[in-house]
Amino acid sequence: MPESSPFRPTPPEAAVTGAARIALTYAILSAAWILFSDRLVQALTTDPAWMTVLSILKGWAFVAVTATMLFLMVRRLVARVAHREAQFRTLIHAIPDMVWLKDPQGVYLACNPAFERFFGVPEAAIQGRTDHDFLPKEEADFFRQKDREAMDAGGPRANEEWVTLADGGGRILLETLKTPMRDRSGALIGVLGIARDITEQDSHTRERAKLQAQLFEAQKLESIGRFAGGVAHDYNNMLGVILANADLALDRMGTDRPERRYLEEIVKAARHSADLTSRMLGFARRRALEAKEVDLNRAVAELLPVLGRLAGERIRIDWEPAANLWPALADSTQLEQVLTNLVANARDAIEGPGRIRLETTNWTLVDGDCAAWNEAEPGQYVGIHVADTGAGMAPGLVPDIFEPFFTTKASGHGTGLGLAMVHNIVRQHRGTLQVDTAPGRGTTFRVLLPRAGGGARDEASATSAASSGPGRSPAP
């Protein structure tokens, strides 16, 4: 590696040696000049007047020679230092990451062009100033606290932080490494900061985690479905034998026999179990979708008599169809399963008289809305909302309610498969859903199905500006 490389700093010993070499050279030359020049003057003349003139000329010559020598030495030294500094600054400026140096009091000493984008001003305007000169107090205090943590730790400290660039106003995620800087004596001289933009990397990480979670969910549901299907099939065969023999015994038993009620309870329990096995088989068998254009208002209206009987006399169903509703892309049979399961779930959540509200609406989801929905993608959707006046649920239960066989109902009053089937059907439709609940204020399930006609996701960004609410698009 060449001597002038910026990667190899000059040790203090080398500086002392260089200075001693210059001083020794100067001393030797001066001594030689004095010795030989005096002898030369004595040899040239013995006249005191001429000796005085020659001595003055000798002094001027000495000054000229030594000044020239010092000039050449210092110029060479300064050129080498300037060359090394230029190489170092070229290196720092070529780094795409943000690089900066502060003194222990937080005053900026230097930075590279990548860091200039943070404050939106050149390096000359940053040097000699602090974060408080450019940033709000809360943000500046945060950065200063990270400086102190690095200085107190005595070694590198890393953290992630979202920042807004003054140059362009973009918001990025930085991975920041701060390292205390010390001189050879160990005295703290400042803090070196290096920050890398990991916004895209973070987005890829979150997307990968999302895909992994979806894969895990699909594998889990497939395993549970196979297990449930196998158990339900064998269990259904045994129930068939029990029901056949119980029905045969009832036919042959007189109506006045007291034992008859025991057989009727057996038949009732067996039929309830048969319903459970039917749900398990339905959960296990994922038939292909027969999706077509569906008028959601008409589909719900035709199903209202069935839903009314399902809810019972003590619960009123309020139906609020949306005007100018978009057509949905859905499988009518599976749509009926979604509605009946959601209404049955709402009915079980209501103790005593109550209301279930059914509502349709048009929705447009943009990127910023998708985080609030289950596995959502930007696009245009047709929504059906099922809201009840029941007891509601604690927020901690919401992540589990779509798990197969998970239920908050009392033993014998729920299978835990209804909402799992709703979740599966919505996923098959490439739709999304959302649950809004809290203890004491009921529960609202919002199901979004893709808008029929295609281009939903392509038009999402174009229609988002016209939204009349968070994620909601006005009816055309």
Side-chain angles (χ1 to χ4, degrees), residues 227-243:
F227 173 75
V231 171
H233 185 269
D234 294 340
Y235 191 45
N236 211 34
N237 291 338
M238 293 184 286
L239 284 175
V241 176
I242 294 173
L243 280 171

Side-chain angles (χ1 to χ4, degrees), residues 154-197:
R157 293 296 297 269
N159 66 283
E160 294 182 0
E161 53 204 19
W162 284 95
V163 299
T164 302
L165 299 177
D167 181 10
R171 187 164 175 79
I172 60 174
L173 177 63
L174 294 179
E175 182 182 50
T176 303
L177 179 69
K178 293 187 175 180
T179 305
M181 302 289 289
R182 299 183 182 276
D183 60 19
R184 290 216 167 235
S185 65
L188 182 68
I189 59 175
V191 177
L192 174 68
I194 302 175
R196 172 167 295 179
D197 182 357

